């Protein structure tokens, strides 16, 4: 049926474990509070008493109140507009008023103004009103008049202190500004002095008035050189082809816009310009239009040759070449050609002479340009330095004027400002301080309870007693829990279980333990010989052992209950049977163990009592007799259950336990210390004891993890004449 549920085991187990741990912690603290409630009452009472003693023991006090207000101040910014600016930190005001220096100043002021007053201690406290800039100054002292006077003196000293700080700050700032003004003035004077010296040393006034004449001369010389270079290039071009040059010259002279006779020709267009520049005068009639004689003769000869060629052409049409007229014209034509070549040579010679003259002039111009250019650069550099020095002097003067204006503005602004912290209310008449009892008593009560809780939690951390199943599992995760026996709240010894017992929860817990033993996976056969023990006495081990034996006998099994606590065993007292003869006599061989067995009132349950107390019980439990006895008991009974001594009290249990099939360990909740239980279990494991599980005795039924305890009405049957209990909801029954 469990497999069909298909639950997510680890996740659900983890969640349930956290729920159980939280419930266990709550229950642990609940138990702690139930046990130690008186301690919280004690600490709360102590806290209340301390507060009461503090209030009653306090000397008589008088209080005076004054107020300061922190407003704004009007400050002129760079735009010459007014605005309100908050500059002070409120915490600074509070610390200053409460400082020891202010109290010392106030004390000296009181002594100076009121020498007849006796000094008295005054406590000063400053508090800012929430959401405002008002500071409440409370003075507390033992003398009412002195308290009021001291508070007034404190206010006056505070205002005077702020004024002195303000004046000191103003003096420092003004001193800094003035020093800066002096520095700016010195820089300005140095710049002006350097400018004046430079202007005097370099005759800057003359240079600037002439606007640098060397530069203008340089431009003129460069223009002349460019003209000469152009003329030289044209002469070289004309020299290569005189005929073409003369034809161009003739066309230009015959053009409609040609210059009139006697007018000066263009310098770059005609050779006459070169001739005039070289000092050569043109010859000929005024109609020569400024041409040289050679050029005029050349053109006339050229024209004559053209005329002869035309005439020769006409004659050749009529006559042969041998005709005397043709030959005469041919001879004259040759003469004119020779003459033309002579004129051309003469023109070339003139051009070469002009070129030489122009080249000489270019050399002279180049030398003049170099000298003039050097002079112009020198003058330009002097003018540039003068302008730079003038700009620096101007900038220094401007910086000085701005700084001087800033100093004047600061002085004017500071004179118009006032301290924005002022006295709103003077010290009131000191009145007696009546202590409010309610709040101190509440504080003492809360503090006492808080201290008590802390102490209880500290003791709880040191207390390793386990209060719940979850705590036991956290400390002993490897131990299997067979069941939990609920705590019985009746006084005296707990009665044994009986058929139809009305303690249904109690009986059901032992049935649960019985089922855990019967159906546990023992990795082999079910144990027949079972020993039940605990770590220390008073854990309810004997009661648990007896009730488990009764429960197994009521299930129909033949059970022998043997009291193996040969020192202080009390099983026979629970069954109200004699304690002797018993197991001790059987181990010593005085009688057979069957002769010491007694029948109990429970069917199928026999009892082997403790017997007489004797020494050396551990040796008897290790004897061969004990082994033979165990074998015989196992053959005759279905289960043999032994009650034994606590593990940490005597060695009997640790010596006898390895001989039995299994051992069940009893732990009493909220009583047994975890370190003692762990030590006992370690001792049993060292003796190679088969520990079958743990029984948690006297568990609280209030925890949520004990689910079957919370459905107690399910186990109760209605009595005669009494109506049946109402049916529970379906969810609860499931």
């Amino acid at each position: 049926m469990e497999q069909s549920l298909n639950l997510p085991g680890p996740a659900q187990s983890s969640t349930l474990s956290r729920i159980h741990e939280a419930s266990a912690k709550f229950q642990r603290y609940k138990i702690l509070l139930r046990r130690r409630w008186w301690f919280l009452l004690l600490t709360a009472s102590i806290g209340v008493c301390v507060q009461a003693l503090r209030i009653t023991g306090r000397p008589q006090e008088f209080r005076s109140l004054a107020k300061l207000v922190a407003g704004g101040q009007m400050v002129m910014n760079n735009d010459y507009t007014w605005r309100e600016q908050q500059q002070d930190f409120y915490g600074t005001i509070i610390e200053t008023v409460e400082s020891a220096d202010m109290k010392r100043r106030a004390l000296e002021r009181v002594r100076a103004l009121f020498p007849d007053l006796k000094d008295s201690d005054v406590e000063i406290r400053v508090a800012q009103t929430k959401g405002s800039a008002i500071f409440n100054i409370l003075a507390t002292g033992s003398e009412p008049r002195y308290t009021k006077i001291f508070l007034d003196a404190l206010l006056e000293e505070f205002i005077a202190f702020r004024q002195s700080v303000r004046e000191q700050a103003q003096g420092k700032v003004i001193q800094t500004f003035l020093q800066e003004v002096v520095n700016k003035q010195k820089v300005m004077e140095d710049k002006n002095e350097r400018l004046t010296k430079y202007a005097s040393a370099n005759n800057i006034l003359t240079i600037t008035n002439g606007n640098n004449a060397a530069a203008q001369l340089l431009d003129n010389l460069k223009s002349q050189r460019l003209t000469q270079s152009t003329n030289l290039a044209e002469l070289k071009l004309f020299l290569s082809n005189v005929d073409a040059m003369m034809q161009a010259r003739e066309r230009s002279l015959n053009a409609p816009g040609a210059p009139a006779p006697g007018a000066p020709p263009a310098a770059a267009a005609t050779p006459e310009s070169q001739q005039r520049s070289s000092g050569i005068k043109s010859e000929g009639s005024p109609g020569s239009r400024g041409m040289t004689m050679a050029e005029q003769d050349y053109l006339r000869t050229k024209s004559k040759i053209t005329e002869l060629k035309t005439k020769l052409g006409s004659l050749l049409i009529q006559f042969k070449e041998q005709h005397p007229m043709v030959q005469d014209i041919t001879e004259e034509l040759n003469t004119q050609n020779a003459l033309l070549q002579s004129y051309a040579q003469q023109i070339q010679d003139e051009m070469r002479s002009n070129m030489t003259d122009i080249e000489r002039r270019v050399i002279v111009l180049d030398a003049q340009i170099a000298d003039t250019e050097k002079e112009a650069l020198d003058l330009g550099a002097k003018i540039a330095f003068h302008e730079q020095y003038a700009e620096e002097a101007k900038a220094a003067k401007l910086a000085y004027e701005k700084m001087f204006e800033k100093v004047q503005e600061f002085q004017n602004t500071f004179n118009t400002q006032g301290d924005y912290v002022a006295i709103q209310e003077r010290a009131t008449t000191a009145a007696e301080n009546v202590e409010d009892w309610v709040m101190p008593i509440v504080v003492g009560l809360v503090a006492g309870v808080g201290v008590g809780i802390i102490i209880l939690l500290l003791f709880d951390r040191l207390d390793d007693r386990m209060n719940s199943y979850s705590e036991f599992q956290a400390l002993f995760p490897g131990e299997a829990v067979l069941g939990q026996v609920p705590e019985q709240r009746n006084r005296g010894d707990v009665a044994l279980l009986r058929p139809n017992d009305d303690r249904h929860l109690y009986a059901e817990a032992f049935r649960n333990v019985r089922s855990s033993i019967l159906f546990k996976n023992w990795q082999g056969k079910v144990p027949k010989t079972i020993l039940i023990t605990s770590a220390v006495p008073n854990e309810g081990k004997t009661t648990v052992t007896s009730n488990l034996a009764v429960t197994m006998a009521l299930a129909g099994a033949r059970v022998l209950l043997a009291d193996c606590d040969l020192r202080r065993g009390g099983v026979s007292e629970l069954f109200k049977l004699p304690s002797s003869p018993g197991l001790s006599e059987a181990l010593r061989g005085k009688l057979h163990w069957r002769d010491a067995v007694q029948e109990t009132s429970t069917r199928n349950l026999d009892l082997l009592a403790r017997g007489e107390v004797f020494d050396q019980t551990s040796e008897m439990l290790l004897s061969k007799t004990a082994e033979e006895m165990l074998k015989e008991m196992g053959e005759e009974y279905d289960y043999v259950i032994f009650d034994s001594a606590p593990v940490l009290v005597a060695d009997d249990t640790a010596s006898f336990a390895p001989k039995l099939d299994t051992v069940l360990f009893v732990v009493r909740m909220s009583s047994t210390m975890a370190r003692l239980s762990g030590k006992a279990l370690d001792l049993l494991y060292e003796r190679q004891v088969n520990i079958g599980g743990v029984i948690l005795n006297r568990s609280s039924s209030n925890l949520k993890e004990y689910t079957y305890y919370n459905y107690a009405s399910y186990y109760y049957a209605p009595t005669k004449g009494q109506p049946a209990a109402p049916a529970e909801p379906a969810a609860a029954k499931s």
Side-chain angles (χ1 to χ4, degrees):
M1 183 174 182
E2 292 181 356
Q3 294 178 353
S4 62
L5 292 175
N6 194 20
L7 296 174
Q12 187 184 33
S13 175
S14 177
T15 303
L16 292 176
S17 177
R18 287 196 297 270
I19 296 175
H20 291 166
E21 288 179 3
S23 178
K25 289 181 180 179
F26 175 76
Q27 182 64 20
R28 182 180 182 87
Y29 295 141
K30 183 178 179 181
I31 293 172
L32 178 66
L33 184 61
R34 186 172 66 244
R35 290 176 179 174
R36 301 286 186 265
W37 61 269
W38 57 269
F39 187 78
L40 296 180
L41 181 61
L42 176 62
T43 56
S45 302
I46 293 174
V48 171
C49 292
V50 169
Q51 287 292 85
L53 291 175
R54 186 182 66 84
I55 296 174
T56 55
R58 179 178 297 175
Q60 188 179 17
E61 293 180 346
F62 296 89
R63 289 185 175 181
S64 178
L65 179 65
K67 292 184 179 181
L68 287 175
V69 59
Q73 60 179 342
M74 306 306 290
V75 180
M76 182 181 294
N77 59 15
N78 294 331
D79 297 332
Y80 297 98
T81 57
W82 295 89
R83 63 187 177 91
E84 189 172 352
Q85 182 179 6
Q86 202 75 13
Q87 290 184 338
D88 204 87
F89 292 101
Y90 292 156
T92 305
I93 298 176
I94 296 175
E95 291 295 329
T96 304
V97 174
E98 293 182 349
S99 65
D101 183 66
M102 282 294 103
K103 294 179 181 178
R104 179 185 59 79
R105 290 168 178 260
L107 180 61
E108 293 176 356
R109 187 183 186 91
V110 172
R111 288 175 178 175
L113 297 178
F114 302 93
D116 57 331
L117 281 180
K118 185 180 180 181
D119 293 345
S120 177
D121 291 335
V122 178
E123 182 181 0
I124 301 297
R125 287 290 179 267
V126 182
Q128 181 183 358
T129 303
K130 186 176 180 181
S132 68
I134 297 177
F135 299 90
N136 300 305
I137 305 176
L138 183 64
T140 304
S142 58
E143 295 292 334
R145 183 167 177 263
Y146 186 89
T147 302
K148 180 180 181 302
I149 293 174
F150 184 86
L151 182 54
D152 281 332
L154 181 68
L155 295 179
E156 295 293 341
E157 287 296 327
F158 174 71
I159 298 300
F161 170 75
R162 287 187 60 86
Q163 182 65 24
S164 64
V165 170
R166 179 171 173 269
E167 291 176 353
Q168 291 177 5
Q170 180 187 11
K172 291 181 179 179
V173 174
I174 291 178
Q175 184 179 2
T176 303
F177 278 163
L178 291 178
Q179 183 64 37
E180 191 67 20
V181 168
V182 172
N183 294 336
K184 297 292 184 183
Q185 184 178 5
K186 185 177 180 181
V187 172
M188 179 186 68
E189 292 175 352
D190 292 341
K191 297 292 184 181
N192 290 331
E193 184 179 0
R194 184 175 64 171
L195 177 62
T196 303
K197 289 182 179 180
Y198 185 82
S200 301
N202 294 277
N203 198 12
I204 294 299
L205 182 61
T206 304
I207 294 175
T208 53
N209 289 336
N211 284 329
N212 201 348
Q216 297 178 1
L217 178 59
L218 179 64
D219 291 339
N220 189 15
L221 292 174
K222 288 183 177 180
S223 177
Q224 292 181 19
R225 189 188 185 286
L226 179 61
T227 301
Q228 297 298 331
S229 298
T230 303
N231 293 337
L232 183 61
E234 290 180 352
L235 288 175
K236 290 180 179 179
L237 180 63
F238 294 159
L239 187 62
S240 62
N241 192 346
V242 176
D243 186 63
M245 182 272 292
M246 292 307 297
Q247 290 179 4
R249 174 68 172 152
E250 185 177 9
R251 286 195 299 269
S252 64
L253 292 175
N254 295 327
T270 63
E272 290 83 349
S273 62
Q274 291 92 20
Q275 293 176 355
R276 285 193 298 269
S277 63
S278 61
I280 301 175
K281 297 182 180 179
S282 60
E283 298 177 358
S285 63
S288 62
R289 297 183 179 179
M291 291 189 297
T292 64
M293 292 299 295
E295 291 175 350
Q296 295 178 22
D297 292 338
Y298 182 88
L299 291 177
R300 284 196 297 269
T301 304
K302 186 74 173 174
S303 176
K304 184 68 173 178
I305 291 172
T306 303
E307 182 182 352
L308 290 174
K309 285 182 178 180
T310 304
K311 188 176 182 179
L312 178 61
S314 301
L315 291 175
L316 288 174
I317 295 174
Q318 298 176 5
F319 306 102
K320 294 183 179 180
E321 292 181 358
Q322 292 79 14
H323 191 277
M325 292 180 65
V326 173
Q327 290 181 356
D328 291 338
I329 293 175
T330 301
E331 289 178 1
E332 187 177 358
L333 183 61
N334 292 334
T335 301
Q336 292 296 328
N337 283 329
L339 186 60
L340 182 64
Q341 292 296 326
S342 175
Y343 291 151
Q345 183 64 40
Q346 186 178 356
I347 292 173
Q348 288 179 347
D349 292 340
E350 292 176 354
M351 288 184 177
R352 289 189 182 96
S353 177
N354 291 337
M355 288 177 58
T356 302
D357 184 62
I358 292 174
E359 289 176 351
R360 179 181 57 78
R361 289 179 176 275
V362 168
I363 293 173
V364 173
L365 288 174
D366 286 340
Q368 292 178 350
I369 288 173
D371 294 339
T372 306
E373 188 174 19
K374 182 178 180 182
E375 181 181 359
L377 290 176
D378 186 39
L379 294 177
K382 290 181 179 180
I383 293 175
F385 278 118
H386 178 267
E387 292 178 353
Q388 178 182 352
Y389 291 157
E391 290 294 332
E392 292 179 357
K394 182 179 179 182
K397 181 180 180 182
L398 182 61
Y400 167 76
E401 291 175 351
K402 286 185 176 180
M403 182 56 65
F404 189 79
E405 291 177 359
K406 193 173 291 186
V407 172
Q408 290 182 332
E409 179 183 349
F410 175 78
Q411 290 178 339
N412 295 333
T413 302
F414 204 92
N415 292 332
T416 58
Q417 294 177 358
D419 192 359
Y420 66 98
V421 178
I423 301 175
Q424 186 182 38
E425 293 182 8
R426 292 281 180 176
T428 60
T429 302
E432 184 179 358
N433 179 31
V434 180
E435 186 72 27
D436 184 13
W437 282 71
V438 176
M439 185 55 64
I441 294 300
V442 171
V443 171
L445 179 64
V446 173
V449 173
V451 172
I453 291 175
I454 293 174
I455 295 175
L456 288 180
L457 291 177
L458 180 62
F459 277 113
D460 182 67
R461 297 290 293 179
L462 299 176
D463 186 8
D464 63 346
R465 291 180 295 181
M466 298 163 287
N467 294 322
S468 65
Y469 167 79
S470 298
E471 292 183 11
F472 178 83
Q473 283 290 78
L475 295 173
F476 301 95
E479 301 297 336
V481 178
L482 299 178
Q484 303 178 70
V485 179
E487 182 180 7
Q488 299 298 303
R489 301 185 183 280
N490 55 327
R491 295 181 176 273
D493 295 334
V494 179
L496 294 175
L497 292 174
R498 56 187 181 277
N500 299 323
D501 199 309
D502 57 355
R503 296 172 297 175
H504 300 284
L505 298 180
Y506 192 66
E508 196 64 27
F510 282 100
R511 295 189 187 103
N512 181 40
V513 176
R514 178 188 64 190
S515 299
S516 299
I517 296 173
L518 294 177
F519 300 107
K520 181 181 178 180
N521 183 11
W522 294 99
Q523 303 297 330
K525 65 177 183 178
V526 178
K528 300 190 66 174
T529 56
I530 302 172
L531 183 141
I532 300 178
T533 186
S534 63
V536 292
N538 300 323
E539 297 197 55
K541 166 182 56 63
T542 300
T543 303
V544 170
T545 304
S546 301
N547 284 324
L548 179 60
V550 171
T551 304
M552 299 189 76
L554 292 178
R558 297 184 67 254
V559 181
L560 174 63
L561 175 60
D563 191 351
C564 194
D565 187 358
L566 301 179
R567 303 175 187 271
R568 296 185 59 183
V571 177
S572 58
E573 297 177 1
L574 292 178
F575 287 90
K576 296 181 174 53
L577 295 175
S579 60
S580 183
L583 181 60
S584 63
E585 287 83 1
L587 290 175
R588 288 181 293 174
K590 292 184 178 182
L591 51 80
H592 195 270
W593 66 271
R594 291 189 182 90
D595 297 333
V597 172
Q598 307 176 55
E599 293 184 358
T600 65
S601 58
T602 303
R603 188 179 62 177
N604 297 329
L605 177 62
D606 294 337
L607 173 65
L608 179 59
R610 176 195 64 199
E612 296 180 356
V613 178
F614 69 99
D615 295 333
Q616 298 180 345
T617 57
S618 179
E619 288 80 358
M620 298 304 300
L621 291 173
L622 290 172
S623 63
K624 292 291 184 180
T625 304
E627 295 180 0
E628 294 175 357
M629 187 184 305
L630 285 176
K631 183 177 180 182
E632 294 175 358
M633 290 178 179
E635 293 175 352
E636 187 167 342
Y637 289 93
D638 295 330
Y639 296 99
V640 181
I641 301 177
F642 289 90
D643 180 33
S644 65
V647 176
L648 300 179
V649 173
D651 189 58
D652 298 357
T653 301
S655 301
F656 188 58
K659 299 178 180 294
L660 280 77
D661 294 338
T662 189
V663 172
L664 305 183
F665 195 81
V666 176
V667 176
R668 180 177 176 179
M669 293 285 94
S670 303
S671 178
T672 307
M673 295 183 179
R675 59 179 179 273
L676 297 180
S677 298
K679 185 176 181 180
L681 289 171
D682 290 340
L683 180 61
L684 294 177
Y685 280 120
E686 289 176 359
R687 301 293 176 89
Q688 298 182 1
V689 175
N690 179 24
I691 299 178
V694 178
I695 300 174
L696 303 181
N697 189 28
R698 299 191 68 175
S699 297
S700 175
S701 60
N702 295 327
L703 293 178
K704 299 291 183 182
E705 56 191 19
Y706 307 138
T707 49
Y708 61 88
Y709 293 162
N710 297 325
Y711 297 95
S713 60
Y714 183 84
Y715 302 99
Y716 288 90
T719 58
K720 294 182 179 181
Q722 191 177 24
E728 294 186 7
K733 292 181 180 180
S734 61

